[in-house]
Amino acid sequence: MSINIAIDGPSGAGKSSISKKVAALLGFIYVDTGALYRAVAYHVISKEIPPKNESAVIQELPKIKPELRFIDGSQHVFLNGADVSEKIRTPEISMGASDVSAIPAVRDFLFELQRSIARENNVIMDGRDIGTVVLPNADLKIYLTASAEERARRRHLELTEKGDKSSFDEVLADVNKRDYNDMNRKTAPLKQADDAVLADTTKLDFDEAVDLILKISGEVLGVRNEV
């Protein structure tokens, strides 16, 4: 029987990088559900369709085939046969993902893909509503967060290293806007599941955050680092 760990939390909390590292250490498969929404957003934006145009986005869904492929232990995101793993990591696609994820038809479109992976594998799956909606019976639920300012600082550093000229204030505004959108959408809003363990990484570096999640996993599930 597969073991499922659900990690939810706001944008920029480090869910993807931390979950990916913990999954590797535990010998689990890492599933970045946000990447699937980013792939949908990338498709509609490339077609010059506003991500908030619900009817137009829904019309595009039959033309979209997102896939998660695991190559040499690393997750790659494919869209209609093309690897878009890097192309979906821009601020524009991030905001677009927030918009399309608020459309119920898009969520239904992606749910079964996510759940089928979880049924067949030991997974760490991260997103906004994994513990509350996608995997409500997950063996362990963690709500991973950090202050908005700290998340903006991390994001700004990441963008700067990529040559992006966005200011810290602009990044902080984007973080706050994303938080508001995710927490106030009608469909599956971001919130901590009642039975989720809170993990605040505001004052932790990456390795300390990984150690925290490993500690929680060990205490709740008895799973241990394989590496």
Side-chain angles (χ1 to χ4, degrees):
M1 187 172 230
S2 61
I3 298 174
N4 294 169
I5 298 176
I7 298 184
D8 292 308
S11 174
K15 295 187 305 297
S16 296
S17 56
I18 293 169
S19 297
K20 186 184 300 182
K21 180 65 174 180
V22 172
L25 292 171
L26 294 178
F28 283 27
I29 285 178
Y30 163 62
V31 183
D32 173 10
T33 61
L36 297 172
Y37 290 100
R38 286 172 179 269
V40 173
Y42 178 80
H43 174 89
V44 298
I45 288 173
S46 68
K47 300 292 184 181
E48 298 185 350
I49 296 170
K52 288 186 177 181
N53 187 330
E54 184 169 344
S55 60
V57 171
I58 291 173
Q59 286 183 342
E60 285 298 305
L61 292 180
K63 306 173 187 176
I64 302 174
K65 185 183 179 183
E67 297 176 83
L68 296 180
R69 299 183 190 176
F70 299 91
I71 303 172
D72 295 328
S74 177
Q75 175 184 276
H76 287 249
V77 184
F78 281 75
L79 177 63
N80 297 338
D83 190 337
V84 295
S85 302
E86 294 299 323
K87 295 178 179 179
I88 61 174
R89 299 296 174 182
T90 67
E92 180 186 18
I93 300 302
S94 180
M95 290 305 299
S98 182
D99 292 334
V100 299
S101 68
I103 301 173
V106 173
R107 307 194 73 82
D108 291 342
F109 174 68
L110 295 175
F111 273 173
E112 183 50 35
L113 172 59
Q114 298 168 36
R115 288 171 173 160
S116 65
I117 296 173
R119 280 195 300 268
E120 298 166 7
N121 303 276
N122 291 338
V123 302
I124 293 182
M125 186 178 293
D126 76 46
R128 301 291 188 279
D129 62 350
I130 308 305
T132 54
V133 178
V134 181
L135 300 177
N137 298 315
D139 302 279
L140 169 62
K141 301 175 187 177
I142 295 173
Y143 190 82
L144 184 70
T145 190
S147 70
E149 290 76 14
E150 174 61 16
R151 288 184 282 124
R153 185 192 68 78
R154 296 172 186 172
R155 181 61 176 158
H156 182 249
L157 179 60
E158 178 185 334
L159 290 172
T160 299
E161 290 174 347
K162 292 181 178 179
D164 190 285
K165 302 299 184 181
S166 299
S167 69
F168 172 80
D169 287 342
E170 289 172 330
V171 175
L172 179 58
D174 282 344
V175 166
N176 286 324
K177 181 179 179 181
R178 181 79 188 266
D179 285 354
Y180 181 84
N181 289 344
D182 289 343
M183 293 177 180
N184 290 278
R185 66 189 183 202
K186 293 181 180 179
T187 302
L190 168 66
K191 63 180 180 178
Q192 181 178 342
D194 292 338
D195 53 348
V197 179
L198 178 65
D200 190 322
T201 69
T202 300
K203 297 181 179 180
L204 304 181
D205 63 22
F206 176 75
D207 290 334
E208 290 170 334
V210 168
D211 287 343
L212 175 61
I213 302 305
L214 286 172
K215 181 175 182 288
I216 294 170
S217 301
E219 290 175 347
V220 177
L221 301 176
V223 293
R224 291 289 182 263
N225 186 341
E226 289 194 349
V227 178

